[in-house]
Amino acid sequence: MAAFFSIGTFLILLLLASAARGQRLSHKYYSLSCPGLQPLVRDAVQQALRRDPSLGAGIVRLFFHDCFVNGCDASVLLDDTPSFAGEKNAPPNMNSLRGFELVDSIKARVEARCRATVSCADILALAARDSVALLGGPYWAVYLGRRDARTGSRQAAAANLPSPGAGFAALVAAFAAKGLTARDMIALSGAHTIGQARCSSFRQRIYGDRNVDASFAGVRRQTCPQQTEGGGSLAPLDAQSPAVFDNKYFQNLVARRGLLRSDQELLSGGPMDSVVWHYSVNQTAFFADFAAAMVRMGGIGALTGSRGEVRLNCRKWN
Ligand code: HEM
Ligand SMILES: *[C@@H]1O[C@H](CO)[C@@H](O)[C@H](O)[C@H]1NC(C)=O
């Protein structure tokens, strides 16, 4: 009787625990099912960044492009098939997103240790955090328990991802549509302290805009001709320290040296200008706001409970 009672109680507790887990993300989601997960991911990211530090930027951007399109559900990682037009070839992503091979290699290591347990969406959330931290930026605890989508949407990617030509109001609106504030948007744009952009993403800015430092535009024009078709060559989003996560991005904006029009638009002459000035002189404040905003972004539209699945291969649903 006593044994029956305790087994019954145990089962009920287990049910309650998994129901609770189904509702919300948790820092400890894998602490029993995959102990050692976080050091495993961090070591894999660290090894990859030692070979190519610029990959960290690719991973951070992948996480953003995942979360803004139907939530952080690894939909961006799905390959196209003859009958499925995925997000990888949506205009904002095409020929420009990178880091997929690194996600694959982390996933392979995780599968070897904990089979069919850890979602690709969570791996991306962890790898993005680790990339930022390893490049000198802030560290934050990642909520876990996202599940992977069984589909993606090229249309939603085209509609939800902001354009580099966007003005301040459009940027604020794109983030508000995801439940993020203007201040979150400014802090998160600080991710452009790492990584690079193609000439096609900033050509109009360096040839057309007025609020651009003349010598900065001159230097960028040397490798980004006005007439060329296609993407063209790459330039660092933060020329001062392209592989270091710091607050130089905001110092660039104050000097009218933002690479994208959407970067420079953060200084639009309105009341939010003071946030950019603040971050440009106080890296601690930027880091704190960036970390908090990444946690909020990482909670967008998460699939939990029995929705979605844990993909075995991040490039295709099971
Ligand atoms: C505010 C609106 C944003 C716009 C309009 C925007 C646009 C862009 C564009 C056009 C590029 C260059 C793509 C290319 O030419 O190949 C880029 C790169 C990048 N973006 Fe954003 N972005 C925004 C916000 C964000 C956010 C919120 C994050 C992350 C939190 C982010 C992270 C990155 C990173 C790390 C890169 C460099 C990628 C690499 O080197 O491969 N961006 N972004
Ligand atoms: C910088 O920002 C942090 C965090 O908001 C704050 O605690 C600190 O006092 C600020 N430092 C300066 C010099 O303003």
Side-chain angles (χ1 to χ4, degrees):
M1 181 66 196
F4 176 77
F5 176 75
S6 60
I7 290 171
T9 311
F10 177 69
L11 286 178
I12 289 168
L13 286 177
L14 206 69
L15 273 174
L16 285 176
S18 62
R21 240 171 37 166
Q23 309 299 324
R24 292 171 49 232
L25 303 177
S26 147
H27 293 139
K28 302 197 158 144
Y29 188 79
Y30 298 109
S31 58
L32 295 176
S33 60
C34 194
L37 168 67
Q38 301 209 26
L40 187 71
V41 173
R42 192 204 44 230
D43 290 350
V45 174
Q46 189 163 25
Q47 274 179 22
L49 295 197
R50 236 180 254 135
R51 284 194 300 274
D52 179 5
S54 88
L55 260 187
I59 295 291
V60 173
R61 184 167 186 236
L62 268 184
F63 184 53
F64 166 51
H65 284 215
D66 184 25
C67 293
F68 261 55
V69 183
N70 297 334
C72 314
D73 60 0
S75 55
V76 71
L77 302 178
L78 291 170
D79 280 345
D80 286 1
T81 73
S83 59
F84 170 68
E87 296 169 17
K88 287 181 177 176
N89 289 308
N93 293 338
M94 205 175 10
N95 302 325
S96 142
L97 279 189
R98 60 203 183 102
F100 297 111
E101 295 76 14
L102 175 52
V103 173
D104 291 340
S105 86
I106 300 169
K107 175 67 170 173
R109 290 199 204 190
V110 171
E111 284 297 305
R113 177 174 305 199
C114 316
R115 212 186 108 70
T117 302
V118 182
S119 66
C120 297
D122 280 343
I123 287 175
L124 191 51
L126 289 169
R129 185 272 312 270
D130 292 334
S131 296
V132 168
L134 287 163
L135 294 173
Y139 184 89
W140 61 93
V142 176
Y143 283 99
L144 298 165
R146 300 168 188 79
R147 289 163 63 88
D148 299 326
R150 293 183 48 79
T151 188
S153 171
R154 183 169 299 178
Q155 259 181 326
N160 288 271
L161 293 167
S163 137
F168 186 75
L171 294 169
V172 172
F175 281 67
K178 301 295 166 189
L180 299 172
T181 65
R183 193 184 178 97
D184 289 332
M185 187 274 287
I186 294 172
L188 289 168
S189 294
H192 289 175
T193 180
I194 53 174
Q196 55 205 21
R198 292 161 302 161
C199 168
S200 55
S201 299
F202 59 85
R203 182 181 287 120
Q204 294 192 339
R205 165 145 177 79
I206 58 172
Y207 290 99
D209 285 4
R210 286 148 58 97
N211 60 342
V212 60
D213 175 79
S215 75
F216 170 76
V219 170
R220 291 279 79 96
R221 284 174 190 164
Q222 286 172 10
T223 53
C224 179
Q226 193 163 14
Q227 307 300 344
T228 318
E229 290 295 315
S233 57
L234 296 163
L237 284 155
D238 165 19
Q240 292 196 67
S241 54
V244 181
F245 198 101
D246 54 20
N247 69 337
K248 297 231 159 53
Y249 168 81
F250 295 102
Q251 297 175 6
N252 294 337
L253 299 187
V254 171
R256 300 190 308 164
R257 289 164 169 259
L259 184 64
L260 308 178
R261 183 178 289 167
S262 58
D263 292 325
Q264 198 61 50
E265 277 290 312
L266 301 187
L267 276 181
S268 60
M272 296 308 281
D273 282 10
S274 61
V275 178
V276 173
W277 296 330
H278 184 49
Y279 293 160
S280 76
V281 295
N282 189 334
Q283 181 167 275
T284 309
F286 163 50
F287 279 10
D289 286 1
F290 182 82
M294 284 292 274
V295 171
R296 280 192 282 280
M297 186 175 91
I300 298 174
L303 296 172
T304 55
S306 57
R307 295 186 300 156
E309 64 182 17
V310 173
R311 248 177 248 158
L312 298 176
N313 172 343
C314 293
R315 294 175 181 269
K316 52 186 193 189
W317 55 85
N318 295 339

